[in-house]
Amino acid sequence: MLNKVLGTIVGDNRTGTWVLATVTIPGIDFEIPTNVVILGLITGLTYSLIAVGLTLVYRTTRVLNFSAGEMGALPAVLIPVLVISNGWPYWLALPLALAGSMLLGGMVEAFVIRPMSRGPRLTMLVATIGLAQAFFGINLLIPRGGDLTGKAFPVPFDWRLTIGSLVLGPGQLLILVAAPACIIALSLYLERSPLGKASRASAENSNAARLAGVPIGRVSFNIWAIAGLFAGIGAVLAGATRPLTLSVALGPALLLRALGAAMVGGLRSIWGAFAGGIGIGIVEALIIWNYPVGGVLEVVLAGLILASMLVRPALGRASRRTDEVGWTFTTAIRPLVPDLARKTKVRIARGLALAVVLALAVLAPLSVRPSSQVTLTTIVLTALMGLSLVVLTGYAGHVSLGQYAFVGIGAAVGGRLYQAGVPHLFGAAIVVVIGAVIATVIGLPALRMGGLFLSVATLGFALATSSWLFFQDWLVHESPTTGTSMQLPRPEFLGVDFNEEAPYYWLCLAVLVLVSVMVYRLRRSGPGRAMIAVRDNERSAASLSLSPRRVKLTAFAVSGAIASLAGFLYGGLLINFSNSPGSTFGPAQSLALVVTVVFGGITSITGAVLGSLWIIGIPRLLGDEYALLSSGFAVVLVLLLLPGGLASVVFSLRDRLVARLTGRDVAGAGVEAVDASRLESSLAAVTVRERSAAGPATRTSADVSAPAPIAAEDVSVRFGGLHALRRVSVVAERGEILGLMGPNGAGKTTLFDVLSGNLRPAEGTVRFNGRDVTALPSHRRARLGLGRTYQQANLFGDLTTLESVAVSLEHRQPSFLVPTMACWPPAVAGERRRCARAAEILDLLGLGPFAHRPVSQLPTGLRRLAELGCVIALEPDVLLLDEPTAGFTPREIASFTRVIHDVRDYLGATIIVIDHDVPMMRDLVERLYVLAAGVVIAEGPPSVLDTNAEVAEVYLGSSAAGLDRGSEPVGVAPGARSTNAPAPT
């Protein structure tokens, strides 16, 4: 819309505009005409309406609704059809269309979002992309009753307003009046109506709202209906300002602007999203006015949106917080346990299955026409592109909606290298390196935010790449011989002419098999485990010495390298792609690639291949009559039935076959049943005492003058106006077991966060063995010898117990990316040593039977024991245990007390323990600090709990008498010791 209006101004009436200001930068003249600002404001109001709907949906249901544009466009098409083609009154067609948009939004919530609400959020995002495709397809099927193209969208009046040389038509005036009125009405509704108040409560804390009796389901339906209404209003208002073209999808460009506006509001503020939409509209208008060609607009918009995300610390914290509670892929594929995988029958069956699949793939081009051989190659290369998302999203948990941009970069750089005379093989290696480097740079925002938030930034990158990068002379240079700008002829070497379709298919298939083996190896080795660990629980991973920054950027680099290699080969398939590189490698293709891989199963190599076969192969190989099977509706239906994608069916069949071959239940193979007595049995089996008979040998007179292993000096922490810690000083002696006690809210866990590096104090110093580590992050402190456990003991839900312990061993026995993926023999041997050492530690803790069980399937007590195993593998000098016995029975607590002493003796470490159990702390610790309201109120032997009057008053109540094993300190809910959810501190 805006491009058409401004194009007329720039071409015909530029001298007649009123220039509000001219910003002069050396070499740059930037004009700010009033007319352009007004037009930009009007366009921005339409962005605001969609952004408000996105904000409402996200803050209530944590879903980024990528179908918002088409959800409004589908009902809006009824207005011209009914008014122009059928002669209906406008005021009858308008409420019918808006009611349809509300109904559509509610139906999406009831039949798609709500059934998927307990699954991965990525699945819901992909479902909304599929819905957008489906809504657009339905739009095309609506009978028009005549050719409406080129006619004006119906409006209720024919008023016009002249401002200087600018004439505003009825469409623009309608936007200026209706958009602000809708936002005001929505704000009043949310502020005053009961359901509006309930939606605000749900947005703030859905769990608390549910416990308070808020009807979450009805609130969610209501919000989606309102979002549909706003999408419909936006579509109607936007349609009133441009010629009627009903067959054009609104597309990623509009979605990016609306998402950017929502991000300005932090995906929480209605008025922030409203202001963001206006701002984006004005910036867009001014960029088009000053730079009408060259793709500068998309680059500026992507930069502004990214900047707005990075400068909002609250948004970054929100992204990490929501990721912590909902990002783990609950449908991750579980590999066969080693005992079953090594069975002769299973190995033979697996080998035969792979051989048959590979043979069918090799022979496929011999049974189809040459044109279909191109389709086969496209399927193979799409699967190769999908592997890049398996690494980035399936393993590392970062959603990229701009992956096809790396594919385009691989093709464009490959073509440029070919023009420079670089041999194909060497050119492919350069492309891989360039793709890895660019992807690493693009991944830098992942250090501040992740998950679905990062997807908006990558979508902006895709738009900027397709609109600007692919049109730069230094990248796309016209060939003096062929006259074409983007061309990548196929190679010819070893006597094979790859200009023939079948040989080129086999070449691409060989690359797919090779990269699949490397990705398979990645998942089952240290770098892959590190990606999943950081994805599942970044804080715990950092406490086990993993650098989240390095792990995230590694995932981006591997993903970019694979996608760029696929692009290099795809450029060879196309040979000449100079006519429309922006559309060939545009954001729409990126969205389609995400849909393809999630549809197949994004956590596995099998999923990438199956998704490509289904989405690409069905319509191209079987014909258009079968296209419905791979349409947006099919995607949504399959994801509703199979949240894990098509791969979940294949692996289910695998498990059934293995069960028949071995006569054993695959689901329970290699593990024992978990019952109430299992934790006590595991505690009784702990044998760490045998590894060291020296006990706390470090506590000798020779160490008297040595610096304290860990000390906090005058530490203060503030959260806004709340003082969590006030000049707290704590010192631990070498080899002792030190206790921290206090009522809930005393600041104990906050102090642990300061000691471990998760939180930097506003004032004060933390020293580790005499070294100032106040500025060091947690992973660097872990490498120095500081280990920590957490209250929840979540560890890494999609890793097995053995893999979780192996993560800790990366510090002392590191694995390296390239040798690991290349199956270098020393790397393979190192992996075997790490697994053997992890198994040994689990046996020491009596957890051997659970080595191959996913951590998410362990009860809380065994998870705490597994977390302790991870810390033992780290071999720390100082160990911080945060409520390690929460959820234990009295007998288990007694056993665990012995375990802690054994671990201290085994490691020769200093241990600091937080716990509410007074009798246990009296038996366990040698000295303790008592905190209250962020201040140390007592320090000394456990007897201070009885002798210190302030402790008795603040912590234990008015009297310390009568405490026994069943007593609870003030601030702990009755029965809290028998639950799996410790009270927050």
Side-chain angles (χ1 to χ4, degrees), residues 446-778:
L447 305 180
R448 291 286 302 274
M449 63 189 64
L452 303 183
F453 289 83
L454 184 67
S455 66
V456 180
T458 58
L459 180 62
F461 168 68
L463 276 170
T465 300
S466 61
S467 302
W468 176 79
L469 183 63
F470 293 151
F471 297 93
Q472 301 305 302
D473 291 340
W474 49 268
L475 177 62
V476 183
H477 182 68
E478 185 171 347
S479 171
T481 56
T482 64
T484 57
S485 55
M486 296 185 75
Q487 188 180 57
L488 184 55
R490 299 175 187 175
E492 181 177 350
F493 55 87
L494 299 178
V496 180
D497 182 7
F498 289 102
N499 285 307
E500 298 292 332
E501 297 301 338
Y504 195 71
Y505 163 82
W506 286 322
L507 173 64
C508 295
L509 179 63
V511 173
L512 173 63
V513 172
L514 177 63
V515 174
S516 296
V517 172
M518 298 176 73
V519 172
Y520 178 87
R521 175 64 184 163
L522 173 68
R523 169 59 185 88
R524 283 152 182 80
S525 59
R529 286 193 297 265
M531 292 176 189
I532 296 175
V534 171
R535 182 199 77 194
D536 283 358
N537 193 331
E538 184 172 324
R539 291 200 309 168
S540 289
S543 297
L544 297 178
S545 81
L546 292 182
S547 168
R549 175 191 299 264
R550 180 180 60 82
V551 171
K552 292 177 182 179
L553 294 183
T554 298
F556 272 93
V558 173
S559 175
I562 295 174
S564 297
L565 176 60
F568 182 87
L569 295 172
Y570 190 55
L573 176 66
L574 298 177
I575 300 178
N576 186 353
F577 42 96
S578 60
N579 294 330
S580 55
S583 59
T584 303
F585 305 106
Q589 284 73 26
S590 291
L591 295 178
L593 182 62
V594 174
V595 171
T596 298
V597 184
V598 173
F599 180 81
I602 200 163
T603 58
S604 69
I605 298 168
T606 303
V609 175
L610 288 177
S612 179
L613 276 170
W614 189 286
I615 300 295
I616 304 297
I618 285 180
R620 298 193 186 186
L621 294 177
L622 300 183
D624 293 338
E625 60 270 22
Y626 293 94
L628 184 62
L629 295 175
S630 60
S631 65
F633 275 127
V635 169
V636 175
L637 180 60
V638 169
L639 292 180
L640 279 170
L641 299 175
L642 302 169
L646 298 176
S648 61
V649 177
V650 173
F651 286 101
S652 177
L653 293 174
R654 176 207 66 180
D655 292 345
R656 292 184 182 182
L657 177 61
V658 171
R660 293 194 63 177
L661 291 174
T662 61
R664 295 174 58 185
D665 179 17
V666 175
V671 299
E672 294 183 7
V674 179
D675 54 33
S677 63
R678 185 61 216 181
L679 174 60
E680 189 172 350
S681 300
S682 295
L683 289 171
V686 173
T687 56
V688 292
R689 185 188 304 273
E690 298 174 4
R691 292 297 302 271
S692 175
T698 53
R699 301 181 64 189
T700 62
S701 58
D703 294 317
V704 172
S705 61
I710 191 165
E713 302 171 2
D714 296 326
V715 166
S716 296
V717 174
R718 291 185 291 271
F719 299 111
L722 174 65
H723 285 262
L725 295 175
R726 295 174 183 264
R727 301 185 65 83
V728 170
S729 295
V730 172
V731 179
E733 297 180 6
R734 193 168 301 279
E736 77 169 332
I737 300 179
L738 178 69
L740 284 182
M741 298 190 70
N744 289 337
K748 305 182 297 297
T749 296
T750 301
L751 179 58
F752 262 27
D753 286 339
V754 172
L755 294 175
S756 62
N758 290 328
L759 183 65
R760 188 166 181 176
E763 301 171 0
T765 304
V766 177
R767 298 186 181 278
F768 187 84
N769 287 324
R771 174 181 175 179
D772 187 345
V773 296
T774 311
L776 293 185
S778 56

Side-chain angles (χ1 to χ4, degrees), residues 806-830:
V807 165
S808 304
L809 296 171
E810 289 294 318
H811 169 44
R812 299 188 181 278
Q813 304 176 30
S815 53
F816 301 97
L817 179 68
V818 175
T820 294
M821 295 185 68
C823 299
W824 192 251
V828 174

